[in-house]
Amino acid sequence: MATPVLDKVEKDSAASPYITVTFRIRRYNPEVSDAAVWEDFQIEIDPKERVLDGLHKIKWDLDGTLTFRRSCAHGICGSDAMRINGKNRLACKTLIKDINPEKPITVEAIKGLTVMKDLVVDMEPFFQAYRDVMPFLVTKGNEPTRERLQSAEDRERFDDTTKCILCAACTSSCPVFWNDGQYFGPAAIVNAHRFIFDSRDEAGEQRLEILNDKDGVWRCRTTFNCTDACPRGIEITKAIQEVKRALITRRF
Amino acid sequence: MKFHKYDTVIVGAGGAGMRAAIEATKRSRTAVLTKLYPTRSHTGAAQGGMAAALANVEEDNWEWHTFDTVKGGDYLVDQDAAEILAKEAIDAVLDLEKMGLPFNRTPNGTIDQRRFGGHSRNHGEAPVRRSCYAADRTGHMILQTLYQNCVKEGVEFFNEFYVLDQLITEVDGVKKSAGVIAYELATGEIHVFQAKAVIYASGGTGKFFKVTSNAHTLTGDGQAACYRRGLPLEDMEFFQFHPTGIWRMGILLTEGARGEGGILRNKDGERFMEKYAPVMKDLASRDVVSRSIYTEIREGRGCGPEGDHVYLDLTHLPPEQLDAKLPDITEFARTYLGIEPYTDPIPIQPTAHYAMGGIPTNVEGEVLSDNTTVVPGLYAAGEVACVSVHGANRLGTNSLLDINVFGKRSGIAAAEYAAKNDYVELPENPEAFVVEQIENLRNSTGNERVADLRRELQETMDANVMVFRTEQTIKTAVEKIRELRERYKNVSVQDKGKRFNTDLLEAIELGNLLELAEVMAVSALARKESRGGHYREDYPNRDDVNFMRHTMAYREVGEDGSETVRLDYKPVVQTRYQPMERKY
């Protein structure tokens, strides 16, 4: 006897869970045309499926040229941040039923980064800002033989900002970043925060100086777009405020 | 076409690739070629922890860890390699802590540890707390920490470069690695990388199954590149099915959930693992738990209207404990199932998770071209490789360990090899194979579609070579895969462009999956016994007389161009542990 196949239910079930949904996708391919256009696709989909599943149905069954990044498909790898119904989300963490499938679902590339093709943007400026904040532990003196000690409270202090998956949903939802690509952006500040408030780290002052720059943390206008956009639920605006406060008090 | 020359080239930027890169960059001019941005790799999806006998919270030692690894692997583990894994685990965890990894802490500030499947005190007496963890996102923290340290060390990355071919040149009768051919996603350009040493760290093959915890991108590209160049693949029939995937979706729910006290229950609410593993219960090894779940389902005790799943029950655990120790997986249950794990049990089923087999290497990470011969300049580490530290079934938390221990070893060994050896001459027209492969796909007018063939492959794999196998089901799979490989010759792509052509790459990835699926099924057919993750209902017992040996699969091309899988065998390295019956 073969291993039981567990997914026959949908096909055999009398009441089909499938509904018809329109995806309205912002298409752009400079190999074909310099202009970006909206294109509609109608698909049959279970509303409990993800927007990413819808994009795959389109790519696999209707139009192989539709281009987007994806990998893990459950909100861990950070590949598929996109603008869905005008809001930055991960396509793999957004279920069809949660975004009103009655109306066309609009999908476009995240803003503020150059679109390369369809939903694919140039991520280099984003990663460069991340690299610029020294996103690594800096310690002085000889290394201990065993682990460095850290109390559970000290570990908890920066727990929230360790969750970042570098998907760019926050940075590309920030109006300041849209208007001025020089701004470090929320993701880079989140990753600086992760080390500034790590009791083991000894380069907090250097990182604060980097963020004291004219393109640094003071550009934040506290609009909370980043916090709303974060698929990991990180309190980003709060983290940015904590960095601002540390710059004033020099206590962290 | 562009040409590059590096001392060391690393293929893949997950845990093993980046751990190797940190070592190799310090010692040699190194390039990392990766089809994904480094932090997108599937190491980030690992949740529960990394095993090391730190003995921070209770008595433990590396010898017990070695024993558990050998027993967990159903004695197909090479015991010399397992000993290295367990011994070097302690430094591997401490290295990561020093690099900045935010492990959870004990009240006295040391790294906290928790229980995990198959890890025991004193050779199976009771579960032991050996897994070092960072909530339920240990893999995420390892991937981030390694990338952070790559930034610190100035590691040179070529992002979204797909390695499609391994270059081998014969020098005085010895096959040596000469470099690799890569395809740049952004431009469609072909790149030749000449390198003194090449390390494959490109991950697993899970995408040939349908219900899987694996990312869409895990398509066995490294295994296929080496296999096509005549190198063997070891133990490919051994694939791990993780007991707790989200029902139908396959998304991983960590074994750490059971380590924290979670319980598996059937439709009667019975804690059924007590029947199958009286001592370790829900924390028996993964192959045992997955078979137990399917036995419950087959015997009519599955949950739901179709009786096709069981429950992972966390409702007796305090919400604070779930929030602190298992925040991500509880969030998955809410997002994808609309279930509140504080109050409701989570529907789960086994999910295809991890390839125990792969490119055969020795303990330095050097790739073997047969049972003993090393291919100079060629290395592999992580899931793509088979050392073999996992044997017939990997223990949970041993893969995050494997990538760190053998990533580091191969990074050092490759860079040291590059320092002592010169470049090997490239074959004539090194890019010819890849250029032809791409042009054929781009120009094909055939009527087969990638998505259809992949769907059929995944369905036959799930139905026929999953947790339970028989001669009949495996033969069905082999025939189906051969049919699909024939049809693959007529596959065409819609996107004919050069810019970010993911349509084309998916077609190439499917070719890799089909080739490896055949190797897996043919290897499984020949192994007429049950061991670890390979369970044959027609041969339910382990057969140490005939099958205490590794499978070595070779690609053979006949004079008419026909392709077959030739099987050979390699002895298992046994040192201190004699095979015993495996009970949990």
Side-chain angles (χ1 to χ4, degrees):
Chain A
M1 183 174 149
T3 303
V5 178
L6 301 177
D7 47 7
K8 281 180 183 157
V9 190
E10 284 166 23
K11 288 167 200 160
D12 301 343
S13 160
S16 164
Y18 286 79
I19 58 168
T20 305
V21 175
T22 302
F23 272 62
R24 183 162 293 166
I25 302 175
R26 188 77 168 164
R27 304 294 307 270
Y28 171 69
N29 182 359
E31 277 188 303
V32 176
S33 161
D34 287 338
V37 292
W38 290 100
E39 188 173 357
D40 282 6
F41 297 93
Q42 286 208 328
I43 53 166
E44 302 286 306
I45 194 163
D46 181 335
K48 292 195 290 297
E49 289 188 83
R50 300 158 274 203
V51 169
L52 180 64
D53 296 315
L55 293 173
H56 272 143
K57 278 177 202 272
I58 296 167
K59 183 174 181 68
W60 292 343
D61 299 334
L62 302 174
D63 184 350
T65 69
L66 179 66
T67 303
F68 49 91
R69 293 191 176 106
R70 73 346 177 206
S71 187
C72 79
H74 65 286
I76 290 300
C77 77
S79 298
D80 63 348
M82 46 189 82
R83 219 167 141 77
I84 300 167
N85 284 353
K87 197 181 161 209
N88 280 6
R89 314 169 201 246
L90 297 182
C92 63
K93 254 194 129 173
T94 308
L95 304 192
I96 301 285
K97 69 180 172 63
D98 297 331
I99 50 166
N100 187 15
E102 308 278 305
K103 289 189 190 162
I105 295 169
T106 63
V107 184
E108 58 194 307
I110 48 177
K111 286 172 74 172
L113 294 161
T114 308
V115 180
M116 309 300 286
K117 184 181 176 184
D118 292 345
L119 306 173
V120 173
V121 298
D122 178 11
M123 292 293 287
E124 263 317 303
F126 172 82
F127 278 103
Q128 190 55 52
Y130 166 80
R131 289 191 289 263
D132 285 345
V133 299
M134 305 169 62
F136 40 78
L137 191 75
V138 178
T139 55
K140 297 183 184 120
N142 292 334
E143 293 213 318
T145 17
R146 291 287 294 197
E147 68 262 52
R148 290 190 174 78
L149 299 182
Q150 182 169 52
S151 71
E153 295 72 41
D154 283 345
R155 165 67 182 78
E156 183 59 26
R157 180 68 190 85
F158 62 100
D159 185 66
D160 202 34
T161 45
T162 65
K163 295 176 191 161
C164 177
I165 54 172
L166 297 169
C167 68
C170 60
T171 295
S172 65
S173 73
C174 174
V176 180
F177 183 77
W178 295 340
N179 293 328
D180 178 1
Q182 297 297 309
Y183 172 44
F184 278 93
I189 301 171
V190 159
N191 282 280
H193 177 285
R194 178 251 171 275
F195 288 101
I196 291 168
F197 293 95
D198 186 332
S199 59
R200 300 169 296 173
D201 185 76
E202 296 176 65
E205 287 288 346
Q206 275 170 275
R207 277 188 210 95
L208 285 174
E209 273 322 305
I210 293 169
L211 293 174
N212 203 15
D213 183 88
K214 67 178 167 53
D215 297 317
V217 75
W218 304 112
R219 300 294 305 276
C220 167
R221 289 287 173 268
T222 331
T223 52
F224 284 90
N225 281 21
C226 51
T227 303
D228 289 345
C230 180
R232 302 283 292 148
I234 302 171
E235 294 181 281
I236 301 176
T237 315
K238 183 179 164 200
I240 297 174
Q241 290 303 105
E242 286 176 352
V243 172
K244 286 180 181 172
R245 203 173 307 132
L247 261 166
I248 294 166
T249 63
R250 296 287 163 164
R251 284 219 307 263
F252 46 86
Chain B
M1 195 179 76
K2 282 193 180 137
F3 182 81
H4 312 258
K5 223 169 167 176
Y6 283 87
D7 293 329
T8 308
V9 160
I10 297 170
V11 183
M18 292 204 284
R19 190 66 190 84
I22 289 168
E23 300 302 329
T25 298
K26 288 176 189 165
R27 297 170 172 84
S28 67
R29 194 163 166 268
T30 300
V32 180
L33 316 188
T34 170
K35 75 176 187 179
L36 299 168
Y37 272 84
T39 56
R40 311 299 184 217
S41 306
H42 214 51
T43 296
Q47 296 165 355
M50 172 167 165
L54 297 182
N56 278 0
V57 288
E58 62 180 310
E59 187 188 359
D60 197 7
N61 65 62
W62 63 259
E63 190 273 319
W64 293 352
H65 185 184
T66 309
F67 171 79
D68 290 337
T69 301
V70 171
K71 178 185 170 190
D74 224 345
Y75 296 90
L76 195 70
V77 170
D78 286 328
Q79 297 184 10
D80 55 340
E83 192 166 315
I84 287 170
L85 182 82
K87 259 190 205 167
E88 295 186 7
I90 294 157
D91 276 339
V93 166
L94 297 178
D95 278 356
L96 286 170
E97 197 285 326
K98 287 167 195 170
M99 286 186 208
L101 199 140
F103 284 107
N104 277 43
R105 300 288 171 155
T106 63
N108 58 13
T110 56
I111 295 167
D112 196 16
Q113 300 189 272
R114 67 178 166 204
R115 291 173 178 169
F116 235 80
H119 291 280
S120 72
R121 57 168 285 113
N122 195 18
H123 315 94
E125 265 180 21
V128 75
R129 291 172 67 180
R130 186 177 291 148
S131 163
C132 309
Y133 67 101
D136 56 353
R137 51 175 188 281
T138 315
H140 165 78
M141 293 316 328
I142 287 177
L143 192 67
Q144 297 291 327
T145 301
L146 291 175
Y147 182 59
Q148 289 155 3
N149 281 271
C150 284
V151 171
K152 191 176 181 178
E153 297 292 337
V155 171
E156 194 175 346
F157 287 98
F158 288 80
N159 294 326
E160 299 186 321
F161 273 58
Y162 285 63
V163 169
L164 299 183
D165 197 16
Q166 166 62 35
L167 302 176
I168 288 175
T169 305
E170 210 167 296
V171 183
D172 302 328
V174 179
K175 281 183 180 173
K176 293 185 174 183
S177 172
V180 298
I181 303 293
Y183 173 95
E184 184 182 3
L185 181 66
T187 61
E189 193 155 25
I190 306 289
H191 296 255
V192 180
F193 284 84
Q194 188 174 18
K196 295 175 183 171
V198 172
I199 306 173
Y200 279 89
S202 47
T205 61
K207 222 45 205 176
F208 50 41
F209 288 100
K210 182 175 175 185
V211 176
T212 173
S213 63
N214 280 208
H216 286 285
T217 41
L218 286 168
T219 51
D221 309 338
Q223 293 90 327
C226 290
Y227 179 68
R228 266 198 306 268
R229 290 294 169 195
L231 300 177
L233 294 175
E234 181 173 348
D235 288 341
M236 289 293 281
E237 65 271 39
F238 294 101
F239 205 92
Q240 176 164 87
F241 302 94
H242 192 291
T244 54
I246 288 183
W247 177 45
R248 290 188 183 170
M249 298 183 83
I251 296 172
L252 179 68
L253 299 179
T254 177
E255 192 166 297
R258 284 170 280 138
E260 293 291 340
I263 291 170
L264 295 170
R265 297 190 190 280
N266 61 20
K267 72 169 184 186
D268 304 320
E270 182 194 3
R271 184 180 192 177
F272 57 83
M273 280 312 300
E274 287 178 333
K275 293 184 292 193
Y276 302 97
V279 177
M280 297 292 277
K281 300 188 175 98
D282 299 272
L283 287 174
S285 69
R286 289 175 177 176
D287 56 326
V288 172
V289 180
S290 284
R291 276 194 295 280
S292 306
I293 291 172
Y294 270 133
T295 304
E296 291 294 304
I297 289 172
R298 283 174 164 196
E299 292 176 0
R301 292 186 295 276
C303 306
E306 310 294 325
D308 60 358
H309 57 274
V310 298
Y311 286 132
L312 172 62
D313 184 1
L314 306 176
T315 56
H316 55 292
L317 302 176
E320 311 81 65
Q321 187 184 351
L322 297 183
D323 292 349
K325 303 291 183 67
L326 303 165
D328 276 10
I329 63 145
T330 45
E331 174 72 13
F332 294 156
R334 292 181 194 117
T335 303
Y336 296 109
L337 296 166
I339 278 179
E340 178 47 68
Y342 295 161
T343 51
D344 294 306
I346 309 169
I348 57 98
Q349 71 177 94
T351 181
H353 187 55
Y354 186 89
M356 268 74 74
I359 302 169
T361 73
N362 61 22
V363 294
E364 305 306 328
E366 294 173 299
V367 171
L368 304 175
S369 62
D370 56 33
N371 288 2
T372 51
T373 312
V374 163
V375 183
L378 193 59
Y379 300 79
E383 192 175 346
V384 72
C386 182
V387 182
S388 148
V389 286
H390 307 307
N393 170 65
R394 173 175 70 73
L395 288 189
T397 67
N398 266 356
S399 68
L400 289 179
L401 177 57
D402 175 11
I403 60 178
N404 277 288
V405 167
F406 290 99
K408 179 178 179 177
R409 281 180 158 253
S410 64
I412 294 171
E416 283 178 352
Y417 175 86
K420 289 190 206 118
N421 291 276
D422 209 347
Y423 289 98
V424 174
E425 206 176 315
L426 291 170
E428 214 174 309
N429 298 326
E431 75 288 5
F433 168 77
V434 171
V435 170
E436 189 188 329
Q437 183 186 25
I438 287 171
E439 285 315 304
N440 283 347
L441 280 168
R442 215 183 244 135
N443 299 329
S444 167
T445 52
N447 55 2
E448 293 287 356
R449 294 180 346 162
V450 172
D452 295 338
L453 300 190
R454 186 173 46 213
R455 217 170 271 145
E456 289 181 46
L457 170 67
Q458 291 170 343
E459 273 164 14
T460 199
M461 294 295 279
D462 272 21
N464 296 308
V465 285
M466 231 182 121
V467 173
F468 292 108
R469 303 166 175 179
T470 67
E471 171 127 0
Q472 186 51 47
T473 66
I474 302 171
K475 275 186 174 161
T476 306
V478 171
E479 276 167 36
K480 182 70 186 178
I481 295 162
R482 287 187 178 145
E483 174 211 311
L484 293 171
R485 292 198 68 190
E486 236 0 83
R487 286 166 58 193
Y488 179 76
K489 291 172 184 163
N490 287 316
V491 95
S492 64
V493 295
Q494 280 178 286
D495 195 337
K496 311 285 186 191
K498 290 198 178 283
R499 191 179 177 88
F500 286 94
N501 191 339
T502 53
D503 201 22
L504 178 74
L505 268 311
E506 281 192 34
I508 291 173
E509 289 170 338
L510 173 64
N512 294 341
L513 287 176
L514 285 168
E515 186 136 21
L516 297 172
E518 184 177 355
V519 176
M520 187 217 216
V522 169
S523 303
L525 189 60
R527 186 172 283 275
K528 296 180 175 170
E529 66 155 353
S530 290
R531 183 186 297 270
H534 171 75
Y535 191 83
R536 290 280 301 256
E537 290 184 88
D538 41 356
Y539 301 93
N541 298 315
R542 195 174 79 196
D543 176 359
D544 288 339
V545 175
N546 294 303
F547 288 104
M548 177 63 104
R549 53 187 192 173
H550 299 291
T551 305
M552 299 286 274
Y554 296 80
R555 180 174 180 265
E556 297 274 306
V557 182
E559 282 176 13
D560 57 348
S562 65
E563 218 184 284
T564 48
V565 182
R566 177 175 66 83
L567 298 183
D568 198 356
Y569 293 91
K570 185 172 91 167
V572 175
V573 179
Q574 289 183 55
T575 54
R576 59 173 91 197
Y577 306 110
Q578 287 305 308
M580 294 188 300
E581 194 193 346
R582 196 155 147 267
K583 279 186 183 157
Y584 281 102

